[in-house]
Amino acid sequence: MTAYVIADIKMRDPKWVPAYAASVHDLVHKHGGKYLSRSGNVKTLEGMPLDTTLIALMAFPSEAAARAFTNDPAYAPFVSARQDGSDSRFQLIDDTDLAGTIPYLPKG
């Protein structure tokens, strides 16, 4: 079952970004994942805007693969740098439909 990681980031000090951007996608790929988007072009369509400057969306073949990426020791220094220079939240969702009414998604 596909798992998605949504990274919601508010930049406080962007010094960490060049090394992170140059290296982390290789770690995502190592665990079978891929970026679907990594954008600072964030627009609120409904509700109160979040204080977000960057959102990344990654797809992994499973929750275990997503967790392997976030727990990879090679990722740890990049996590520390990101956490030192931003307020960030990573969320994990699967590819299910909670209501079970979309025929091409598994019922959640």
Side-chain angles (χ1 to χ4, degrees), residues 13-105:
D13 181 354
K15 284 188 258 181
W16 60 274
V17 174
Y20 192 99
S23 303
V24 171
H25 70 276
D26 288 337
L27 292 170
V28 169
H29 293 177
K30 172 183 169 184
H31 295 284
K34 67 178 181 177
Y35 279 92
L36 302 179
S37 179
R38 184 169 66 182
S39 179
N41 188 17
V42 179
K43 296 178 176 93
T44 300
L45 296 177
E46 183 178 326
M48 294 296 295
L50 298 175
D51 200 8
T52 299
T53 51
L54 171 71
I55 294 178
L57 176 60
M58 296 160 271
F60 290 87
S62 66
E63 180 178 339
R67 290 185 184 276
F69 157 65
T70 59
N71 294 322
D72 189 319
Y75 183 46
F78 298 105
V79 172
S80 293
R82 175 180 43 78
Q83 290 174 343
D84 288 345
S86 72
D87 298 319
S88 53
R89 175 178 54 222
F90 277 40
Q91 298 192 65
L92 180 70
I93 61 171
D94 60 22
D95 65 349
T96 61
D97 171 29
L98 183 62
T101 59
I102 300 172
Y104 56 85
L105 292 177

